[in-house]
Every structure is written in structure tokens, then in C-alpha cells.
Amino acid sequence: MAVPPSGQQSFPEARAYLAAIIDSSDDAIISKDLRGNITSWNRAAERIFGYSAGEIIGHSISILIPAERGAEEPEILRRITAGERIDHFETVRVRKDGRNVPVSVTISPIRDASGAIVGASKVARDISERLQAAEHIHTERERLRVTLTSIGDAVIVTDAQGLVTFLNPVAEALTGWKQDRAEGQPLDLVFRIVTETTRRPGENPALRALREGVVVGLANHTILIARDGSERAIDDSAAPIRGNAGEVLGVILVFRDVTKIREWERSLAQLAAIVESSDDAIVGKDLTGRIMSWNKGAERIFGYSAQEVIGRSISIIIPPERLDEEPRILDRLKKGERVDHFETVRVAKDGRKIELSLTISPIKDSEGNVIGASKIARDITESKRAINALQQAQQALAEHARNLEDKVAERTAALREMVHDLETFSYSISHDLRAPLRAMQGFGDILAEDYARELSPQAAEYVRRIGQSAARMDKLIQDVLDYSRIARTELDIKAVEVEPLLRGIVECYPMLQPMRAQIKIEGPFPPVLGNEAGLTQCFSNLLGNAVKFVKPGVPPEVRVWAEPHNDHVRLVFQDNGIGIQKESQGKIFRIFERLSSDYEGTGIGLAIVKKAVEKMGGSVAIHSEPGKGSQFWLELRRAARQDNRRRNN
Ligand code: ADP
């Protein structure tokens, strides 16, 4: 190392000293005169430009200037001549070997003792390394920018103050902020987040990373609110960017839209909850029959906890005699088939046999390969038991019903026989009663006629009363006989002309004569299906009652007409009699029922009417009000027209 100059140094020493400094400089130090010819050239100049001092001194500086920069030198000379200094002018010069070398030059005028500018000194620094470094930084930065831009996740970079410096396109899309608008904005504004559950602004991970200088991991359930207010679930993390000295220069925030993933998670959780809460056993197994999943229903039905059985073979719940079922089921599953409502028996942990209905479906991977099976088992022990009990009950009921029907049929037959016997009995008894009655009547008549003179008036009166009672009894016996005849015999049904029958009856009975009653027969009367003798009895009873049940002194007025009703004919008998109270109307058709003893009668007439009409397939009804007369009607089937014609021919 050279010794620093001192006041005692001689001029040559000082010069040598300066030359040593210049030579030891890393920068090229060159001087030139005002024509541009090189006048001095140090070692560094030799190194940078490749020329030795001997080679270049006296030559024009322009040999160092590339052709395209030829205009620089006159300009430099002009400025130097004007006394200016040119500082850190970055340009390019050419080496001896033809390669370009980037340089930073500082050019100062050289003055002589009188102050006149006689040349220029030029200090040139080789800046290739610096430029390379800058270039390197630039490419690195560019690479980083491209990486961040093309990355699938959203990226936001801030400076140390938390102001946004960069957003990649994904971040632009998710936040709704464009790079040019977001740049320089506070991060909170661009990246607005709330916590999903509380809806309160969440701790901004980037700001924490900035503040604490640590990497902040994923915050769960964060919602990003975009500039337009739309919301997305995101996962985020932030890391500080550090300088060489470890100082925090900014933060890089990386996040992604997980809305879809959250939805999947939610539906997955829901499915899992459904499976867990099912009453049925839901069991997953692989193709070797190993149990993979086991829900609460399975725990309840089979008694094993999930922990106990997962990983074990499904055969632990299959009774030994049914072990062959499993391979058959697995075979069908491997073909992708499903087994529906397969009823079988399995064993619980405590050895209890359980009746089950199984539905087994194949589980497929994303490529459709069968990788296992899901099995839904429903305990049908109870329902089987209930069904059995129900079936038994139904059988018992059916048998009971059959017995009951048999019994009813039996009893009905017995009753029918009894009724028939009774009717026969009443018929024969009535019949047998008539002979002695005739004898009594006959002898009574003989007494009254042949012994009239011998009888005292009182005895004659007694004889008359005997006759009267005998007549009443005869009527009674006659009515009972009529009734039981109708009841016992099947009536021969054919078409009957109603009007001649009515007129015949009116003509025969004295009480129906015009002197005693006004009877109007108002045709036309369609022919009906019935029995002539039966109808004669019905009509005479109805007409007889109609003229009988009138208030004393009131002349009876009776009208008879027909009302056709589809395939039926209604024959109406209307009187002006005393009428019948509503509550008594039901019972007058029963045998021996009479409403008043003020009127002669046996209480059998209407019973005969009802029985006869029913035997003819018809019905009888009444409409009456006390004091306003009565309407009795018979409803009979209408006879077909051809019957009618045959009769007319
Ligand atoms: P009987 O005429 O012999 O008394 P019925 O069986 O013919 O018996 O009638 C039963 C009862 O119905 C009668 O006793 C009477 O009270 C009542 N009855 C029947 N027809 C009429 C009528 N046209 N008007 C008022 N009451 C009647």
C-alpha cells in the first residue's frame, strides 16, 4: 500500500503517488483532449475495455463507442467544452473483442493552470454485474408475478402498511376488485370477511401476519363479502414477506372459494346424521364381507357397538345354518345387482334370533366399480308376530262367523217350521171350531124360530145374543182362517185387471152400495202383477175400513185411483174417515191390533192386506191425519203389456 502524500513530498513523488491511486482504482479512468483523443488510460480501463494503454493512447475515444451511439460523443464534448460535468451517465461501450460493456460514466472537464478547458477526464464503471443483478431481480419479479397470476388460488399482496399492492385474477374475481382500483387501498376494504356463525367481522389473517410477523393458518368458516355484496365461504392463510434483515415488508394472503366444499360437507354431515338417526340398521361392508360402518340402529338391533364390529366379518351376525346366504348375496352385489326386501334371520350379540328384512345395494367408486355394499336391515320380528296374531284372529273370526251363520240358518229353519206349525195349528183349530159353532148357530136359529112362542121375551133376547155372539165368533174364525191361508200358501202371481175386480166388490157388499156410501172408482188402472183372490181380500178390507171408520152421521166418501210409478203401480184408497194418529200408523198392520172398540172389527183385516201384498212382491203404506181422512196405498209391480194383450184377446 502506498504511503499517503505529505507536504514534504517532491513533485515526482506526488505524481507517482497519484498515478498509483489511479492505477489501483476499480473504475476505468481515462482522459482525452478536446478533439476526443485519448491522453491517459489506467489499468482498470485496460481490464474493462481490453486495450492496453500503449495500444490506445493517442487514438480517438470513438473507437469505444458503438455505431448506434455515435451521436453521444459530440454531445458530451459540447457539454464539457461548455464547462459542464456529466454525472452517472449510463451507456454502452465496445470492448476490443467487440463485446458491448454497459458502463456508468462521470465526465468532468480538465482545466489548465489558467482555467481553460483542455480536455476531459472520464471515470467509467463497468455496470454489467449490477445490470445483470437488476435484470435478475426483474425476471424473478416477473416470474413471481406470472406465478401468482396463474395460480388457482386467490392471492393478495400488501405492503408493510397493509395497503394492497397486488391482486391476482382469482382474487379479482372473488373480491370484485380490479388490480388498478385495489392498489393502494387498505386490505380491510378489499378483503372483507365475516365469521360464518356470528356474522361479525373476523380477525383479518393478513393484518395479524403483518402485525405479529407469523404465518396465520386457516381460519374456519370465513365468509368473504365481495364488492357487490355477494358472499362466499373461503379458506385463507397469510404469510409475512420478509426483507434480508428479517424485517416485514408486507404480507401475502392466499385464499380459495370453498362454498362447494362447504355444501358437500353439509350434505355429507346431513347424510351421516340420517344414517345415524335411522331406526333401521345401516351397515357398510367391503366385498370380502368385512364390516366398514355400523350405525346406531345396527347397535340397537344387533347389540354390538360400532367399535366392537368394525373390521370384523359380517358373518358374526349370520346364524350358522344361513352362512351360505352371504356368498350368494356378495355374488349378486359384485354384478352390481341390488337385493330388495330379502327376509331372513340374523343373530344378536346375546344369541337372540332376529327376523329381518334386508335391502342390500352395491357401493361403487367414482369409476363405477363395485367396492362394497350397504345393507339396510329392518327388524320385522314384531311385525311378523303382529301379522301372525292378526292372521290367527282373522281365522278365528271367520270360523266364528261361519258358526254363527250356521246357527242363524238352523234357528231360522226351526223358527220357520215353528211358524208353519203354528199356522197349520191355528188353521186346523179354527176349522175345527166352526163345526160346533155351526151347531150352536143352527140350534139357536131353531130355538128362535120353532120355539118363539114358548120362549119368554127374556129367553128370546138371550137366544138372540147367543146368535149374535156366534156370528161374531164366526167372523173371527173366518178372518183367522183367511189370514193363515194367505200366510201358508204360495200365491199364484199373474197379470190382474184391477178395475173389474174393484167394481165386482162394490157391487157385492151391501155397505158399499150408493145408499150407504159414495164410492168413486177413478180409472184408468194399469194391469198389475198379483193374485186375484188375494187382491179381492185386500180391496174388500180397505174399502170396508174406508166406509166403516167414519164419524157417526157422516156419509162415507171413498175415492180409488191408480198412480203409475215406473215399473210399479200405486193403487190409492182415500176416505173421509176419522183418520189415524201418526204414532198408531205403524201398528195397525199387525194382527189383532185395533185402535178403538167403538167400531166393530177383529183387527185382522190390515194384517191380511200386508201379508197378501208382500206375497205378491208389493208393499203397503198409509198417509193419514186424524179428522182429515186417510190414504192407504198398495204398490204392486206393473204387468207387462203382452200379458195385457193376451187377456184382452
Ligand atoms: P178391523 O177393521 O177389523 O178393526 P183392521 O186390521 O182392518 O181391523 O184395522 C185395524 C185398525 O186400524 C182398526 O181397528 C182401526 O182402528 C184402524 N183403521 C183401519 N182402517 C182405517 C180407516 N180407513 N180409517 C181409520 N182407521 C182405520
Side-chain angles (χ1 to χ4, degrees):
M1 184 75 205
V3 184
S6 74
Q8 288 79 42
Q9 276 176 323
S10 65
F11 179 71
E13 274 174 342
R15 200 183 133 85
Y17 185 72
L18 270 177
I21 291 176
I22 287 172
D23 264 356
S24 63
S25 164
D26 250 3
D27 295 339
I29 302 176
I30 303 163
S31 61
K32 57 183 180 185
D33 61 21
L34 284 181
R35 288 198 308 278
N37 289 331
I38 297 166
T39 51
S40 74
W41 187 259
N42 73 344
R43 286 243 177 79
E46 289 186 350
R47 189 171 46 74
I48 294 172
F49 297 108
Y51 295 98
S52 69
E55 275 179 305
I56 201 155
I57 287 180
H59 289 279
S60 167
I61 192 93
S62 59
I63 61 169
L64 298 179
I65 300 175
E68 70 274 13
R69 293 184 184 261
E72 279 179 11
E73 186 58 14
E75 173 64 11
I76 291 169
L77 284 175
R78 190 191 61 74
R79 288 174 61 185
I80 291 299
T81 319
E84 270 179 51
R85 176 187 154 103
I86 299 166
D87 256 336
H88 303 302
F89 168 57
E90 295 194 356
T91 182
V92 178
R93 292 294 176 255
V94 198
R95 280 168 55 89
K96 187 182 174 189
D97 59 13
R99 275 194 291 134
N100 282 353
V101 52
V103 287
S104 164
V105 286
T106 296
I107 307 162
S108 326
I110 304 173
R111 295 173 195 269
D112 64 8
S114 66
I117 296 168
V118 293
S121 83
K122 178 167 175 177
V123 180
R125 174 167 296 176
D126 180 353
I127 55 169
S128 11
E129 267 178 27
R130 207 193 78 202
L131 283 185
Q132 260 166 23
E135 174 76 16
H136 183 70
I137 289 170
H138 179 74
T139 23
E140 277 308 301
R141 183 172 288 165
E142 193 54 20
R143 204 202 317 276
L144 195 69
R145 200 186 59 78
V146 171
T147 310
L148 293 182
T149 301
S150 56
I151 211 166
D153 287 345
V155 177
I156 299 178
V157 182
T158 73
D159 62 15
Q161 278 69 51
L163 302 178
V164 173
T165 58
F166 173 82
L167 269 92
N168 76 348
V170 183
E172 285 184 335
L174 294 186
T175 59
W177 284 82
K178 285 281 171 215
Q179 163 81 36
D180 51 352
R181 300 296 293 270
E183 220 175 311
Q185 299 290 348
L187 180 64
D188 291 25
L189 190 69
V190 178
F191 183 72
R192 268 176 65 205
I193 51 173
V194 290
T195 306
E196 192 175 344
T197 42
T198 62
R199 302 284 313 166
R200 280 214 291 274
E203 152 93 291
N204 194 318
L207 299 181
R208 210 181 119 206
L210 208 56
R211 195 175 64 237
E212 297 175 12
V214 291
V215 175
V216 180
L218 303 177
N220 269 334
H221 303 290
T222 302
I223 296 284
L224 171 71
I225 304 174
R227 207 173 174 191
D228 64 1
S230 63
E231 298 187 0
R232 305 183 165 73
I234 57 160
D235 263 355
D236 51 27
S237 70
I241 304 169
R242 288 180 188 282
N244 282 342
E247 77 281 19
V248 175
L249 301 176
V251 72
I252 175 160
L253 176 70
V254 180
F255 56 99
R256 73 174 66 122
D257 185 350
V258 292
T259 313
K260 275 262 143 42
I261 296 173
R262 287 269 182 285
E263 274 166 19
W264 286 339
E265 280 173 356
R266 252 196 293 276
S267 68
L268 207 66
Q270 221 163 41
L271 285 178
I274 291 170
V275 168
E276 250 337 87
S277 62
S278 167
D279 251 4
D280 295 338
I282 302 180
V283 176
K285 59 181 183 181
D286 67 11
L287 285 183
T288 65
R290 212 153 45 100
I291 297 169
M292 310 299 283
S293 70
W294 187 263
N295 76 339
K296 283 256 149 41
E299 292 190 345
R300 192 178 50 76
I301 293 177
F302 298 110
Y304 292 101
S305 71
Q307 239 181 348
E308 277 176 291
V309 287
I310 284 178
R312 291 178 68 184
S313 167
I314 192 82
S315 60
I316 57 164
I317 57 164
I318 305 179
E321 69 277 12
R322 287 183 184 259
L323 274 173
D324 59 324
E325 280 177 4
E326 186 62 12
R328 285 213 310 270
I329 292 173
L330 285 175
D331 269 354
R332 289 184 59 182
L333 288 173
K334 281 177 196 159
K335 286 187 220 149
E337 284 173 29
R338 176 188 152 102
V339 180
D340 254 336
H341 303 302
F342 168 59
E343 295 199 354
T344 183
V345 177
R346 293 290 178 259
V347 228
K349 191 180 177 187
D350 58 10
R352 204 166 24 89
K353 292 258 166 87
I354 314 160
E355 288 186 81
L356 293 174
S357 164
L358 299 183
T359 294
I360 309 167
S361 326
I363 301 175
K364 297 177 180 175
D365 65 11
S366 55
E367 274 142 41
N369 303 314
V370 178
I371 51 164
S374 83
K375 183 179 203 162
I376 302 181
R378 172 162 297 179
D379 186 347
I380 52 168
T381 315
E382 270 312 308
S383 59
K384 266 275 172 75
R385 202 173 290 156
I387 287 170
N388 279 344
L390 199 69
Q391 276 170 351
Q392 273 170 13
Q394 275 172 343
Q395 268 168 12
L397 204 67
E399 198 151 324
H400 208 69
R402 259 198 309 280
N403 288 344
L404 209 65
E405 267 170 31
D406 289 351
K407 217 165 259 175
V408 167
E410 234 169 65
R411 295 227 170 124
T412 311
L415 271 175
R416 243 190 227 124
E417 209 176 292
M418 201 147 94
V419 168
H420 183 77
D421 288 352
L422 275 174
E423 282 168 352
T424 313
F425 172 72
S426 65
Y427 182 78
S428 67
I429 207 165
S430 311
H431 202 264
D432 291 350
L433 281 174
R434 289 193 97 179
L437 189 63
R438 288 261 179 278
M440 281 160 68
Q441 271 183 321
F443 289 117
D445 286 350
I446 291 171
L447 265 181
E449 282 167 23
D450 295 356
Y451 299 90
R453 255 176 272 136
E454 291 161 46
L455 292 176
S456 66
Q458 193 166 18
E461 173 58 16
Y462 289 157
V463 170
R464 197 189 58 79
R465 284 207 198 165
I466 289 171
Q468 202 181 29
S469 293
R472 201 180 297 144
M473 188 160 177
D474 189 43
K475 169 84 172 110
L476 191 62
I477 291 171
Q478 187 61 51
D479 282 356
V480 171
L481 278 174
D482 285 345
Y483 179 81
S484 49
R485 192 179 300 120
I486 294 265
R488 278 182 322 127
T489 50
E490 279 311 313
L491 296 183
D492 185 20
I493 307 291
K494 46 179 149 189
V496 179
E497 287 296 342
V498 174
E499 193 165 341
L501 215 57
L502 281 168
R503 293 203 183 282
I505 293 166
V506 172
E507 275 165 24
C508 282
Y509 287 86
M511 62 200 180
L512 303 180
Q513 299 309 301
M515 302 282 291
R516 304 173 66 174
Q518 197 187 18
I519 312 253
K520 286 189 184 156
I521 296 173
E522 301 170 353
F525 291 89
V528 297
L529 281 178
N531 175 276
E532 217 170 272
L535 282 177
T536 307
Q537 261 180 329
C538 292
F539 295 167
S540 50
N541 272 314
L542 290 174
L543 289 170
N545 284 346
V547 297
K548 182 166 65 170
F549 293 105
V550 284
K551 273 210 183 110
V554 174
E557 286 172 19
V558 183
R559 287 174 59 216
V560 186
W561 70 90
E563 289 173 7
H565 285 271
N566 297 325
D567 53 347
H568 281 75
V569 179
R570 186 177 281 185
L571 301 175
V572 188
F573 295 75
Q574 183 183 283
D575 63 39
N576 63 336
I578 54 173
I580 302 165
Q581 279 184 331
K582 194 122 198 105
E583 52 276 21
S584 305
Q585 291 175 4
K587 63 179 181 192
I588 54 172
F589 292 98
R590 292 202 294 258
I591 196 164
F592 302 130
E593 287 286 357
R594 298 169 63 214
L595 300 181
S596 155
S597 52
D598 296 348
Y599 298 88
E600 278 279 322
T602 60
I604 299 176
L606 287 178
I608 292 175
V609 170
K610 185 167 192 283
K611 189 79 133 193
V613 168
E614 281 170 0
K615 287 222 157 182
M616 288 179 240
S619 61
V620 58
I622 177 179
H623 175 78
S624 177
E625 272 179 57
K628 290 194 179 166
S630 309
Q631 269 189 9
F632 285 81
W633 67 82
L634 310 183
E635 212 160 82
L636 291 161
R637 284 172 294 162
R638 192 177 181 153
R641 206 176 266 150
Q642 69 195 97
D643 283 328
N644 201 2
R645 258 203 311 275
R646 210 184 299 142
R647 284 178 70 89
N648 289 344
N649 287 345

